[in-house]
Coordinates of all heavy atoms in Angstrom, one line a residue:
M1 N -36.6 3.2 19.5 CA -35.9 2.0 19.9 C -35.7 1.0 18.8 O -36.6 0.7 18.1 CB -36.7 1.4 21.1 CG -36.0 0.2 21.7 SD -37.0 -0.2 23.2 CE -35.8 -1.3 24.0
T2 N -34.5 0.4 18.7 CA -34.3 -0.6 17.7 C -34.4 -2.0 18.2 O -34.2 -2.3 19.3 CB -32.8 -0.4 17.1 OG1 -31.9 -0.7 18.2 CG2 -32.6 1.0 16.6
T3 N -34.8 -2.8 17.2 CA -35.0 -4.2 17.6 C -33.6 -4.9 17.6 O -32.6 -4.4 17.0 CB -35.8 -4.9 16.6 OG1 -35.2 -4.9 15.3 CG2 -37.2 -4.3 16.5
L4 N -33.5 -6.1 18.1 CA -32.2 -6.9 18.1 C -31.8 -7.2 16.7 O -30.6 -7.0 16.4 CB -32.4 -8.2 18.9 CG -31.2 -9.1 18.9 CD1 -30.0 -8.5 19.6 CD2 -31.5 -10.4 19.7
E5 N -32.7 -7.5 15.8 CA -32.3 -7.7 14.4 C -31.8 -6.5 13.7 O -30.8 -6.5 13.0 CB -33.6 -8.2 13.6 CG -34.0 -9.5 14.0 CD -35.0 -9.6 15.2 OE1 -35.3 -8.6 15.9 OE2 -35.5 -10.7 15.5
E6 N -32.3 -5.3 14.0 CA -31.8 -4.1 13.5 C -30.4 -3.7 14.0 O -29.5 -3.3 13.3 CB -32.8 -2.9 13.8 CG -34.1 -2.9 13.0 CD -35.1 -2.0 13.5 OE1 -35.0 -1.6 14.7 OE2 -36.0 -1.6 12.7
R7 N -30.2 -3.9 15.3 CA -28.9 -3.7 15.9 C -27.8 -4.7 15.3 O -26.7 -4.3 14.9 CB -28.9 -4.0 17.4 CG -29.4 -2.8 18.2 CD -29.1 -2.9 19.8 NE -28.5 -4.1 20.3 CZ -29.3 -4.9 21.1 NH1 -30.5 -4.6 21.3 NH2 -28.8 -6.0 21.6
L8 N -28.2 -5.9 15.2 CA -27.2 -6.9 14.6 C -26.9 -6.5 13.1 O -25.8 -6.6 12.6 CB -27.8 -8.3 14.6 CG -27.8 -8.9 16.0 CD1 -28.5 -10.2 16.0 CD2 -26.4 -9.1 16.5
T9 N -28.0 -6.1 12.4 CA -27.8 -5.7 11.0 C -26.8 -4.5 10.9 O -25.8 -4.6 10.1 CB -29.1 -5.2 10.3 OG1 -30.0 -6.4 10.3 CG2 -28.9 -4.8 9.0
A10 N -26.9 -3.5 11.8 CA -26.0 -2.4 11.8 C -24.6 -2.8 12.1 O -23.7 -2.4 11.4 CB -26.5 -1.3 12.8
V11 N -24.4 -3.6 13.1 CA -22.9 -3.9 13.5 C -22.3 -5.0 12.5 O -21.1 -4.7 12.3 CB -22.9 -4.5 14.9 CG1 -23.2 -3.6 16.0 CG2 -23.6 -5.9 15.1
I12 N -23.1 -5.7 11.8 CA -22.5 -6.6 10.8 C -22.2 -5.8 9.5 O -21.1 -6.0 9.0 CB -23.6 -7.7 10.5 CG1 -23.8 -8.7 11.6 CG2 -23.1 -8.4 9.2 CD1 -25.0 -9.6 11.5
L13 N -23.0 -4.9 9.2 CA -22.7 -4.0 8.0 C -21.6 -3.0 8.3 O -21.0 -2.5 7.4 CB -23.9 -3.2 7.6 CG -25.0 -4.1 6.9 CD1 -26.3 -3.2 6.6 CD2 -24.5 -4.7 5.6
A14 N -21.2 -2.9 9.6 CA -20.1 -2.0 9.9 C -18.7 -2.7 9.6 O -17.7 -2.1 9.6 CB -20.1 -1.6 11.3
E15 N -18.8 -4.1 9.5 CA -17.6 -4.9 9.1 C -17.2 -4.5 7.6 O -18.0 -4.6 6.8 CB -17.9 -6.4 9.2 CG -17.1 -7.3 8.4 CD -15.6 -7.3 8.6 OE1 -15.1 -7.4 9.8 OE2 -14.8 -7.1 7.7
P16 N -16.0 -3.9 7.4 CA -15.6 -3.3 6.1 C -15.7 -4.4 4.9 O -15.9 -4.0 3.8 CB -14.3 -2.9 6.3 CG -13.9 -3.1 7.7 CD -15.0 -3.8 8.5
D17 N -15.6 -5.7 5.2 CA -15.6 -6.7 4.1 C -16.9 -7.3 3.8 O -17.0 -8.2 3.1 CB -14.5 -7.8 4.4 CG -13.1 -7.2 4.2 OD1 -12.9 -6.5 3.2 OD2 -12.3 -7.3 5.1
V18 N -18.0 -6.8 4.5 CA -19.4 -7.3 4.3 C -20.0 -6.3 3.4 O -20.1 -5.1 3.7 CB -20.2 -7.5 5.6 CG1 -21.6 -7.7 5.3 CG2 -19.6 -8.5 6.4
R19 N -20.4 -6.7 2.2 CA -21.0 -5.8 1.3 C -22.5 -5.7 1.5 O -23.1 -4.6 1.4 CB -20.8 -6.3 -0.2 CG -19.4 -6.3 -0.7 CD -19.2 -6.7 -2.1 NE -19.9 -5.7 -2.9 CZ -19.6 -5.5 -4.1 NH1 -18.7 -6.3 -4.7 NH2 -20.2 -4.6 -4.8
T20 N -23.1 -6.8 1.8 CA -24.6 -6.7 2.0 C -25.0 -7.9 2.9 O -24.3 -8.8 3.1 CB -25.3 -6.9 0.6 OG1 -26.7 -6.6 0.8 CG2 -25.1 -8.1 0.0
I21 N -26.2 -7.8 3.5 CA -26.8 -8.9 4.1 C -28.1 -9.2 3.4 O -29.0 -8.3 3.2 CB -27.2 -8.5 5.5 CG1 -26.0 -8.1 6.4 CG2 -27.9 -9.7 6.3 CD1 -26.3 -7.6 7.8
Y22 N -28.3 -10.5 3.0 CA -29.5 -10.8 2.1 C -30.6 -11.1 3.1 O -30.4 -11.7 4.2 CB -29.2 -11.9 1.3 CG -28.1 -11.7 0.2 CD1 -26.8 -12.1 0.4 CD2 -28.4 -10.9 -0.9 CE1 -25.8 -11.7 -0.6 CE2 -27.5 -10.6 -1.9 CZ -26.2 -11.0 -1.7 OH -25.2 -10.7 -2.6
P23 N -31.8 -10.7 2.7 CA -33.0 -11.1 3.6 C -33.1 -12.6 3.8 O -32.7 -13.4 2.9 CB -34.2 -10.6 2.7 CG -33.6 -9.6 1.8 CD -32.2 -10.0 1.5
T24 N -33.4 -13.0 5.0 CA -33.6 -14.4 5.3 C -35.1 -14.7 5.1 O -35.9 -13.9 5.3 CB -33.2 -14.7 6.8 OG1 -33.9 -13.8 7.6 CG2 -31.7 -14.4 7.0
R25 N -35.3 -15.9 4.6 CA -36.7 -16.3 4.4 C -36.8 -17.8 4.9 O -35.9 -18.6 4.7 CB -37.0 -16.3 3.0 CG -37.0 -15.0 2.3 CD -37.2 -15.1 0.8 NE -38.5 -15.6 0.6 CZ -39.6 -14.9 0.2 NH1 -39.5 -13.6 0.0 NH2 -40.8 -15.4 0.0
P26 N -37.9 -18.1 5.5 CA -38.1 -19.5 5.9 C -38.3 -20.3 4.7 O -38.7 -19.8 3.7 CB -39.4 -19.4 6.7 CG -39.9 -18.1 6.8 CD -39.0 -17.2 5.9
A27 N -38.0 -21.5 4.7 CA -38.0 -22.4 3.5 C -39.4 -22.4 2.9 O -39.6 -22.4 1.7 CB -37.6 -23.9 3.9
F28 N -40.5 -22.5 3.7 CA -41.8 -22.5 3.2 C -42.1 -21.3 2.4 O -42.7 -21.3 1.3 CB -42.9 -22.7 4.3 CG -44.2 -22.6 3.8 CD1 -44.8 -23.7 3.1 CD2 -45.0 -21.5 3.9 CE1 -46.2 -23.6 2.7 CE2 -46.4 -21.4 3.5 CZ -46.9 -22.5 2.8
G29 N -41.7 -20.1 3.0 CA -41.9 -18.9 2.3 C -41.2 -18.7 1.0 O -41.7 -18.2 0.0
E30 N -40.0 -19.3 0.9 CA -39.2 -19.3 -0.3 C -40.0 -20.2 -1.5 O -40.1 -19.8 -2.6 CB -37.9 -19.8 -0.1 CG -36.9 -19.8 -1.3 CD -36.6 -18.4 -1.8 OE1 -36.5 -17.5 -0.9 OE2 -36.4 -18.3 -2.9
I31 N -40.4 -21.3 -1.0 CA -41.1 -22.2 -1.9 C -42.4 -21.6 -2.4 O -42.6 -21.6 -3.6 CB -41.3 -23.6 -1.2 CG1 -40.0 -24.4 -1.1 CG2 -42.2 -24.5 -2.2 CD1 -40.1 -25.5 -0.1
G32 N -43.1 -21.1 -1.5 CA -44.4 -20.4 -1.8 C -44.2 -19.2 -2.7 O -45.0 -19.1 -3.6
S33 N -43.1 -18.4 -2.5 CA -43.0 -17.3 -3.4 C -42.6 -17.7 -4.8 O -42.9 -17.1 -5.7 CB -41.9 -16.4 -2.8 OG -40.6 -17.0 -2.9
R34 N -41.9 -18.8 -5.0 CA -41.5 -19.4 -6.3 C -42.7 -19.9 -7.0 O -42.7 -20.0 -8.2 CB -40.4 -20.5 -6.1 CG -39.1 -19.9 -5.7 CD -38.1 -20.9 -5.7 NE -36.8 -20.3 -5.3 CZ -35.6 -20.9 -5.1 NH1 -35.7 -22.2 -5.4 NH2 -34.6 -20.3 -4.7
L35 N -43.7 -20.4 -6.2 CA -44.9 -20.9 -6.8 C -46.0 -19.9 -7.0 O -47.1 -20.2 -7.5 CB -45.5 -22.1 -6.0 CG -44.6 -23.3 -5.8 CD1 -45.2 -24.3 -4.9 CD2 -44.4 -23.9 -7.2
G36 N -45.7 -18.6 -6.6 CA -46.7 -17.6 -6.6 C -47.7 -17.6 -5.5 O -48.8 -17.0 -5.7
I37 N -47.5 -18.3 -4.4 CA -48.4 -18.3 -3.4 C -48.0 -17.2 -2.4 O -46.9 -17.1 -1.9 CB -48.4 -19.7 -2.6 CG1 -48.7 -20.7 -3.7 CG2 -49.3 -19.7 -1.4 CD1 -48.4 -22.2 -3.1
A38 N -49.0 -16.4 -2.0 CA -48.7 -15.2 -1.0 C -48.5 -15.9 0.4 O -49.3 -16.8 0.8 CB -49.9 -14.3 -1.1
E39 N -47.6 -15.3 1.1 CA -47.5 -15.8 2.5 C -48.5 -15.2 3.4 O -48.7 -14.0 3.3 CB -46.1 -15.4 3.0 CG -44.9 -16.1 2.4 CD -43.6 -15.7 3.0 OE1 -43.4 -15.9 4.2 OE2 -42.7 -15.3 2.3
I40 N -49.1 -16.0 4.2 CA -50.1 -15.5 5.1 C -49.4 -14.7 6.2 O -48.5 -15.3 6.8 CB -51.0 -16.6 5.7 CG1 -51.8 -17.3 4.5 CG2 -52.0 -16.1 6.7 CD1 -52.5 -18.6 4.9
G41 N -49.8 -13.5 6.5 CA -49.2 -12.8 7.5 C -47.9 -12.2 7.2 O -47.2 -11.7 8.1
A42 N -47.5 -12.2 5.9 CA -46.2 -11.6 5.5 C -46.2 -10.2 5.7 O -47.2 -9.5 5.4 CB -45.9 -12.0 4.1
S43 N -45.2 -9.6 6.2 CA -45.2 -8.0 6.4 C -44.2 -7.4 5.4 O -43.6 -6.4 5.8 CB -44.7 -7.8 7.9 OG -43.4 -8.3 8.0
G44 N -44.2 -7.8 4.2 CA -43.4 -7.2 3.3 C -42.0 -7.8 3.2 O -41.9 -9.0 2.9
E45 N -41.0 -7.0 3.4 CA -39.6 -7.5 3.3 C -39.2 -8.4 4.4 O -39.6 -8.2 5.6 CB -38.7 -6.2 3.4 CG -37.3 -6.6 3.1 CD -36.3 -5.4 3.1 OE1 -36.7 -4.4 2.6 OE2 -35.1 -5.6 3.5
S46 N -38.5 -9.5 4.1 CA -38.0 -10.4 5.1 C -37.0 -9.8 5.9 O -36.2 -8.9 5.5 CB -37.5 -11.7 4.4 OG -38.4 -12.3 3.6
P47 N -36.8 -10.2 7.1 CA -35.7 -9.6 8.0 C -34.3 -10.0 7.4 O -34.2 -11.0 6.8 CB -35.9 -10.2 9.3 CG -36.7 -11.5 9.1 CD -37.5 -11.2 7.8
K48 N -33.4 -9.1 7.6 CA -32.0 -9.3 7.1 C -31.3 -10.3 8.1 O -30.5 -11.1 7.7 CB -31.2 -8.0 7.1 CG -31.9 -7.1 6.2 CD -31.0 -6.9 5.0 CE -31.7 -5.7 4.2 NZ -31.5 -5.9 2.7
V49 N -31.6 -10.4 9.4 CA -31.0 -11.2 10.4 C -32.0 -11.9 11.1 O -32.9 -11.3 11.6 CB -30.1 -10.4 11.3 CG1 -29.5 -11.3 12.4 CG2 -29.0 -9.5 10.7
A50 N -32.0 -13.3 11.0 CA -33.1 -14.0 11.7 C -32.6 -14.4 13.1 O -31.5 -15.0 13.2 CB -33.4 -15.3 10.9
V51 N -33.4 -14.0 14.1 CA -33.1 -14.3 15.4 C -34.2 -15.1 16.0 O -35.4 -14.6 16.0 CB -32.9 -13.0 16.3 CG1 -32.5 -13.4 17.7 CG2 -31.7 -12.2 15.7
V52 N -33.9 -16.3 16.5 CA -35.0 -17.1 17.2 C -34.5 -17.4 18.6 O -33.4 -17.9 18.8 CB -35.2 -18.4 16.4 CG1 -36.1 -19.3 17.1 CG2 -35.6 -18.2 14.9
E53 N -35.4 -17.0 19.5 CA -35.0 -17.2 21.0 C -36.0 -18.2 21.5 O -37.3 -18.1 21.2 CB -35.2 -15.9 21.7 CG -34.2 -14.9 21.3 CD -34.2 -13.6 22.2 OE1 -33.9 -13.8 23.4 OE2 -34.4 -12.6 21.6
S54 N -35.6 -19.3 22.2 CA -36.4 -20.3 22.7 C -35.8 -20.7 24.0 O -34.8 -20.2 24.5 CB -36.4 -21.5 21.7 OG -35.2 -22.2 21.7
E55 N -36.4 -21.7 24.7 CA -35.9 -22.2 26.0 C -34.6 -22.8 25.9 O -33.8 -22.9 26.7 CB -36.9 -23.3 26.5 CG -38.2 -22.7 26.9 CD -39.1 -23.7 27.4 OE1 -38.8 -24.9 27.5 OE2 -40.3 -23.4 27.7
D56 N -34.2 -23.3 24.6 CA -33.0 -23.9 24.3 C -31.9 -22.9 24.1 O -30.7 -23.3 24.0 CB -33.1 -24.9 23.1 CG -34.1 -26.0 23.3 OD1 -34.2 -26.4 24.5 OD2 -34.7 -26.5 22.4
G57 N -32.1 -21.7 23.9 CA -31.2 -20.7 23.7 C -31.5 -19.7 22.6 O -32.7 -19.6 22.2
T58 N -30.5 -19.0 22.0 CA -30.8 -18.1 20.9 C -30.0 -18.6 19.6 O -28.8 -19.0 19.7 CB -30.1 -16.7 21.3 OG1 -30.9 -16.3 22.5 CG2 -30.4 -15.7 20.2
A59 N -30.7 -18.5 18.6 CA -30.2 -18.9 17.2 C -30.2 -17.7 16.3 O -31.2 -17.1 16.2 CB -30.9 -20.1 16.6
V60 N -29.1 -17.5 15.6 CA -29.0 -16.3 14.8 C -28.5 -16.9 13.4 O -27.6 -17.7 13.3 CB -27.9 -15.3 15.2 CG1 -27.8 -14.2 14.1 CG2 -28.3 -14.7 16.5
S61 N -29.2 -16.5 12.3 CA -28.9 -17.0 11.0 C -28.8 -15.7 10.0 O -29.7 -15.0 10.0 CB -30.0 -17.9 10.5 OG -29.7 -18.4 9.3
I62 N -27.7 -15.7 9.2 CA -27.6 -14.6 8.3 C -27.0 -15.2 6.9 O -26.3 -16.2 7.0 CB -26.7 -13.5 8.7 CG1 -25.3 -13.9 9.1 CG2 -27.3 -12.8 9.9 CD1 -24.3 -12.8 9.3
S63 N -27.2 -14.4 5.9 CA -26.6 -14.7 4.5 C -26.0 -13.4 4.1 O -26.7 -12.4 4.0 CB -27.7 -15.1 3.6 OG -27.1 -15.4 2.3
I64 N -24.7 -13.5 3.9 CA -24.0 -12.2 3.6 C -23.3 -12.2 2.2 O -23.0 -13.4 1.7 CB -22.9 -11.9 4.7 CG1 -21.9 -13.0 4.8 CG2 -23.6 -11.6 5.9 CD1 -20.8 -12.7 5.8
G65 N -23.0 -11.1 1.6 CA -22.1 -10.9 0.5 C -20.8 -10.3 1.0 O -21.0 -9.3 1.8
V66 N -19.7 -10.8 0.6 CA -18.5 -10.3 1.1 C -17.7 -9.6 -0.2 O -18.0 -10.0 -1.3 CB -17.6 -11.3 1.7 CG1 -18.3 -11.8 3.0 CG2 -17.3 -12.5 0.8
T67 N -16.7 -8.7 0.2 CA -16.0 -8.0 -0.9 C -15.0 -8.9 -1.6 O -14.7 -8.6 -2.8 CB -15.2 -6.9 -0.3 OG1 -14.2 -7.4 0.6 CG2 -16.2 -5.9 0.5
G68 N -14.5 -9.8 -1.0 CA -13.4 -10.7 -1.6 C -12.0 -10.2 -1.3 O -11.0 -10.7 -1.8
Q69 N -11.9 -9.1 -0.6 CA -10.6 -8.5 -0.3 C -9.9 -9.4 0.7 O -8.6 -9.4 0.7 CB -10.8 -7.1 0.3 CG -11.4 -6.1 -0.6 CD -10.6 -5.9 -1.9 OE1 -9.4 -5.7 -1.8 NE2 -11.2 -5.9 -3.0
R70 N -10.6 -10.1 1.6 CA -10.0 -11.1 2.5 C -10.8 -12.4 2.3 O -11.9 -12.4 1.7 CB -10.3 -10.7 4.0 CG -9.6 -9.4 4.4 CD -9.7 -9.2 5.9 NE -11.1 -9.1 6.3 CZ -11.6 -9.4 7.5 NH1 -10.7 -9.8 8.4 NH2 -12.8 -9.4 7.8
P71 N -10.1 -13.5 2.7 CA -10.8 -14.8 2.6 C -12.2 -14.7 3.3 O -12.3 -14.2 4.4 CB -9.9 -15.8 3.3 CG -8.5 -15.1 3.1 CD -8.8 -13.6 3.3
A72 N -13.1 -15.4 2.6 CA -14.5 -15.4 3.3 C -14.5 -16.1 4.6 O -15.3 -15.6 5.5 CB -15.5 -16.2 2.3
T73 N -13.7 -17.1 4.8 CA -13.7 -17.6 6.2 C -13.2 -16.7 7.3 O -13.7 -16.7 8.4 CB -12.7 -18.9 6.2 OG1 -11.5 -18.5 5.8 CG2 -13.3 -20.0 5.4
S74 N -12.3 -15.8 6.9 CA -11.8 -14.8 7.9 C -12.9 -13.8 8.2 O -13.1 -13.4 9.3 CB -10.6 -14.0 7.4 OG -9.5 -14.8 7.2
V75 N -13.7 -13.4 7.2 CA -14.8 -12.5 7.3 C -15.8 -13.1 8.2 O -16.4 -12.5 9.2 CB -15.3 -12.0 6.0 CG1 -16.6 -11.1 6.2 CG2 -14.3 -11.3 5.1
C76 N -16.1 -14.5 8.0 CA -17.2 -15.1 8.8 C -16.8 -15.3 10.2 O -17.6 -15.1 11.1 CB -17.4 -16.5 8.2 SG -18.3 -16.6 6.7
R77 N -15.4 -15.5 10.5 CA -15.0 -15.5 11.9 C -15.2 -14.2 12.6 O -15.6 -14.2 13.7 CB -13.5 -15.9 11.9 CG -13.3 -17.4 11.9 CD -11.8 -17.7 12.3 NE -11.2 -18.6 11.4 CZ -10.6 -18.4 10.2 NH1 -10.5 -17.2 9.8 NH2 -10.1 -19.3 9.5
N78 N -14.9 -13.1 11.8 CA -15.0 -11.8 12.4 C -16.6 -11.5 12.7 O -16.9 -11.0 13.7 CB -14.4 -10.8 11.5 CG -14.2 -9.4 12.2 OD1 -13.8 -9.4 13.5 ND2 -14.5 -8.3 11.5
V79 N -17.3 -11.8 11.7 CA -18.8 -11.6 11.9 C -19.4 -12.4 13.0 O -20.2 -12.0 13.8 CB -19.6 -11.9 10.5 CG1 -21.0 -11.9 10.7 CG2 -19.2 -10.8 9.4
H80 N -18.9 -13.7 13.1 CA -19.3 -14.6 14.2 C -19.0 -13.9 15.6 O -19.8 -13.8 16.4 CB -18.6 -15.9 14.1 CG -19.1 -16.9 15.1 ND1 -18.7 -16.9 16.4 CD2 -20.0 -17.9 15.0 CE1 -19.2 -17.8 17.0 NE2 -20.1 -18.5 16.2
K81 N -17.8 -13.3 15.6 CA -17.3 -12.7 16.9 C -18.2 -11.4 17.2 O -18.6 -11.1 18.3 CB -15.9 -12.3 16.8 CG -15.4 -11.6 18.1 CD -14.0 -11.3 18.1 CE -13.3 -10.7 19.3 NZ -14.2 -10.1 20.3
I82 N -18.5 -10.7 16.2 CA -19.3 -9.5 16.3 C -20.7 -9.8 16.8 O -21.2 -9.2 17.8 CB -19.5 -8.7 14.9 CG1 -18.1 -8.0 14.5 CG2 -20.6 -7.7 14.9 CD1 -18.1 -7.6 13.0
I83 N -21.3 -10.8 16.2 CA -22.6 -11.3 16.7 C -22.6 -11.9 18.2 O -23.4 -11.5 19.0 CB -23.2 -12.3 15.8 CG1 -23.5 -11.8 14.4 CG2 -24.4 -12.9 16.4 CD1 -23.8 -12.8 13.3
A84 N -21.6 -12.7 18.4 CA -21.5 -13.2 19.7 C -21.2 -12.1 20.9 O -21.8 -12.1 21.9 CB -20.3 -14.2 19.9
D85 N -20.4 -11.1 20.5 CA -20.1 -10.0 21.4 C -21.4 -9.2 21.7 O -21.7 -8.7 22.8 CB -19.0 -9.1 20.9 CG -17.6 -9.8 21.0 OD1 -17.5 -10.8 21.6 OD2 -16.7 -9.2 20.4
E86 N -22.2 -9.0 20.6 CA -23.5 -8.2 20.7 C -24.5 -8.9 21.4 O -25.2 -8.3 22.2 CB -24.0 -7.8 19.3 CG -25.1 -6.9 19.3 CD -24.8 -5.5 19.6 OE1 -23.6 -5.1 19.5 OE2 -25.7 -4.8 20.1
L87 N -24.5 -10.2 21.4 CA -25.5 -11.0 22.1 C -25.1 -11.4 23.5 O -26.0 -12.0 24.3 CB -25.8 -12.3 21.2 CG -26.6 -12.0 19.9 CD1 -26.9 -13.2 19.2 CD2 -27.9 -11.3 20.3
A88 N -23.9 -11.4 23.8 CA -23.4 -11.8 25.1 C -24.3 -11.3 26.3 O -24.7 -12.1 27.2 CB -21.9 -11.5 25.3
P89 N -24.6 -10.0 26.3 CA -25.4 -9.5 27.5 C -26.9 -10.0 27.4 O -27.5 -10.2 28.4 CB -25.4 -8.0 27.3 CG -24.3 -7.7 26.3 CD -24.1 -8.9 25.5
V90 N -27.3 -10.3 26.2 CA -28.7 -10.7 26.1 C -28.9 -12.2 26.2 O -29.8 -12.7 26.9 CB -29.2 -10.4 24.6 CG1 -30.6 -10.9 24.4 CG2 -29.1 -8.8 24.3
A91 N -28.0 -13.0 25.7 CA -28.1 -14.4 25.8 C -27.8 -15.0 27.2 O -28.3 -16.0 27.6 CB -27.1 -15.1 24.7
G92 N -26.8 -14.3 27.9 CA -26.4 -14.8 29.2 C -25.8 -16.2 29.1 O -25.1 -16.5 28.1
P93 N -26.1 -17.1 30.0 CA -25.5 -18.4 30.0 C -26.2 -19.4 29.0 O -25.7 -20.5 28.9 CB -25.8 -18.9 31.5 CG -27.0 -18.2 31.9 CD -27.0 -16.9 31.2
R94 N -27.4 -19.0 28.5 CA -28.0 -19.9 27.5 C -27.1 -20.1 26.2 O -26.4 -19.3 25.9 CB -29.4 -19.3 27.1 CG -30.3 -19.2 28.2 CD -31.6 -18.6 27.9 NE -31.7 -18.3 26.5 CZ -32.8 -17.5 26.1 NH1 -33.7 -17.0 26.9 NH2 -32.8 -17.2 24.8
P95 N -27.3 -21.3 25.6 CA -26.5 -21.6 24.4 C -26.8 -20.6 23.3 O -28.0 -20.1 23.2 CB -27.1 -23.0 24.0 CG -27.6 -23.6 25.3 CD -28.2 -22.4 26.0
L96 N -25.8 -20.4 22.5 CA -26.0 -19.5 21.4 C -25.5 -20.3 20.1 O -24.5 -20.8 20.0 CB -25.1 -18.2 21.6 CG -25.0 -17.2 20.4 CD1 -26.3 -16.6 20.2 CD2 -24.0 -16.2 20.9
S97 N -26.4 -20.2 19.1 CA -26.1 -20.8 17.8 C -26.0 -19.7 16.7 O -27.0 -18.9 16.6 CB -27.2 -21.8 17.4 OG -27.0 -22.2 16.1
I98 N -24.9 -19.6 16.0 CA -24.8 -18.6 14.9 C -24.5 -19.3 13.6 O -23.5 -20.0 13.5 CB -23.7 -17.6 15.3 CG1 -24.0 -16.9 16.6 CG2 -23.5 -16.6 14.1 CD1 -22.8 -16.1 17.1
S99 N -25.3 -19.0 12.6 CA -25.1 -19.6 11.3 C -24.9 -18.5 10.3 O -25.7 -17.6 10.1 CB -26.4 -20.4 10.9 OG -26.3 -20.9 9.6
I100 N -23.8 -18.6 9.6 CA -23.4 -17.5 8.6 C -23.2 -18.2 7.3 O -22.3 -19.1 7.2 CB -22.1 -16.8 9.0 CG1 -22.3 -16.2 10.4 CG2 -21.8 -15.8 7.9 CD1 -21.0 -15.6 10.9
K101 N -24.0 -17.8 6.3 CA -23.7 -18.3 4.9 C -23.2 -17.2 4.0 O -23.7 -16.1 4.0 CB -25.1 -18.8 4.4 CG -25.0 -19.4 2.9 CD -26.3 -20.0 2.5 CE -27.2 -19.0 1.9 NZ -28.4 -19.5 1.3
V102 N -22.2 -17.4 3.3 CA -21.6 -16.5 2.3 C -22.3 -16.8 1.0 O -22.2 -17.8 0.4 CB -20.1 -16.6 2.2 CG1 -19.6 -15.7 1.0 CG2 -19.4 -16.3 3.5
A103 N -23.2 -15.8 0.6 CA -24.0 -16.0 -0.7 C -23.4 -15.4 -1.8 O -23.7 -15.8 -2.9 CB -25.4 -15.4 -0.4
S104 N -22.5 -14.5 -1.7 CA -21.7 -13.9 -2.8 C -20.4 -13.4 -2.4 O -20.2 -12.9 -1.3 CB -22.5 -12.8 -3.4 OG -22.7 -11.7 -2.7
V105 N -19.4 -13.4 -3.3 CA -18.1 -12.9 -3.1 C -17.8 -11.9 -4.3 O -17.9 -12.3 -5.4 CB -17.0 -14.0 -3.0 CG1 -15.6 -13.4 -2.9 CG2 -17.3 -15.0 -2.0
G106 N -17.3 -10.7 -3.9 CA -16.9 -9.8 -5.0 C -17.8 -8.7 -5.2 O -18.9 -8.5 -4.8

């Protein structure tokens, strides 16, 4: 059985103009790793797609690299739709927040 994060990773990578999904890291973990401080409870590799579910709704955050064949904004719109379509049955009427950062082009 796959997790929601794994499913989202697979459908996002199926978009032809997405080259990669970069691992997401909480800000504290990023600062700690730069200072050489080990994260407590870290399980190795950071997830590629961050999904946070709360009473307020579902929030998804990703950082992608795109091919540059199409404008990055078009790729982001398509990825946003892919994520929204994948989460529609899961999120139901609760609010959905999707954050997409383009970290590299080309």
Side-chain angles (χ1 to χ4, degrees):
M1 181 171 197
T2 60
T3 65
L4 179 57
E5 290 84 356
E6 291 168 335
R7 278 197 348 256
L8 288 173
T9 298
V11 297
I12 293 165
L13 288 174
E15 156 59 53
D17 290 308
V18 173
R19 292 183 70 155
T20 189
I21 302 174
Y22 295 101
T24 56
R25 297 176 63 103
F28 176 77
E30 183 67 29
I31 293 167
S33 68
R34 289 184 182 178
L35 297 175
I37 302 169
E39 290 183 58
I40 298 173
S43 61
E45 186 177 326
S46 298
K48 302 249 184 212
V49 178
V51 179
V52 177
E53 296 186 61
S54 70
E55 292 177 5
D56 297 329
T58 302
V60 177
S61 179
I62 62 169
S63 178
I64 60 175
V66 298
T67 64
Q69 299 298 315
R70 290 188 309 153
T73 54
S74 295
V75 176
C76 286
R77 272 193 228 86
N78 195 41
V79 169
H80 186 280
K81 182 177 179 347
I82 289 168
I83 293 169
D85 289 349
E86 187 69 24
L87 290 178
V90 177
R94 295 179 1 192
L96 177 62
S97 168
I98 300 172
S99 172
I100 303 168
K101 179 173 88 173
V102 175
S104 68
V105 177

